[in-house]
Amino acid sequence: MGIEERWQRRQKQIVSEADAREAESVRRHNDRLDDVHQMLVEAARQAFERGDGWFEAEIPKRTAGRLIDFPLSEVRREHPAVSPSPRSDLLSKIEDEGWELHTAQYLYVQLAEESRDKVFSSGQHVKIQGEIIGVYLFRRV
């Protein structure tokens, strides 16, 4: 076996290990999201049973949807235009409880800010961290 064949075998092994890690990460992410989604759907159900006229849900964008369950490298190879963005039917689940989506708005919430002086010139570098929150307002059907 030549160097090139060993190199190709090692590259395939690296890709398969990365796909396995990525699939496990996606599974853990989706499991966490399922818990969050169940809590939100249960809150919508309780609000509907109480007779509330409106239901508001604030959902961080990163927890709004599930990731696809198969290795993304295969999807990107076969369909390069497909983005790895999350997909979800959380809003549909809430609507199934008797609510109708009335308004959806998104806002950026700053969580942290880090600044440091520039080394060779005046001024500062500022790094801001935050997340996008979706605020969904449902009305009773």
Side-chain angles (χ1 to χ4, degrees), residues 51-111:
D52 294 356
W54 297 91
F55 176 71
E56 181 179 343
E58 296 178 8
I59 306 168
K61 185 66 175 157
R62 68 172 179 229
T63 61
R66 295 175 56 86
L67 295 173
I68 53 178
D69 293 336
F70 43 87
L72 295 176
S73 60
E74 292 177 20
V75 174
R76 289 185 194 123
R77 263 186 257 130
E78 295 173 15
H79 307 285
V82 173
S83 72
S85 62
R87 298 178 296 161
S88 174
D89 63 345
L90 174 61
L91 300 179
S92 298
K93 289 178 184 178
I94 292 174
E95 286 186 337
D96 289 344
E97 296 299 322
W99 298 101
E100 180 181 59
L101 182 62
H102 180 265
T103 306
Q105 295 181 341
Y106 300 91
L107 57 117
Y108 180 80
V109 178
Q110 183 175 329
L111 300 174

Side-chain angles (χ1 to χ4, degrees), residues 22-46:
E22 188 174 16
E24 178 60 23
S25 175
V26 166
R27 188 192 61 73
R28 283 194 316 269
H29 175 79
N30 289 341
D31 289 346
R32 285 190 305 268
L33 287 184
D34 286 341
D35 295 340
V36 170
H37 290 187
Q38 287 175 359
M39 288 185 342
L40 286 167
V41 171
E42 183 60 31
R45 182 178 301 122
Q46 290 173 357

Side-chain angles (χ1 to χ4, degrees), residues 119-135:
V119 178
F120 295 110
S121 63
S122 63
Q124 291 186 331
H125 286 287
V126 179
K127 182 171 130 181
I128 298 174
Q129 295 176 339
E131 66 182 351
I132 298 173
I133 304 287
V135 180

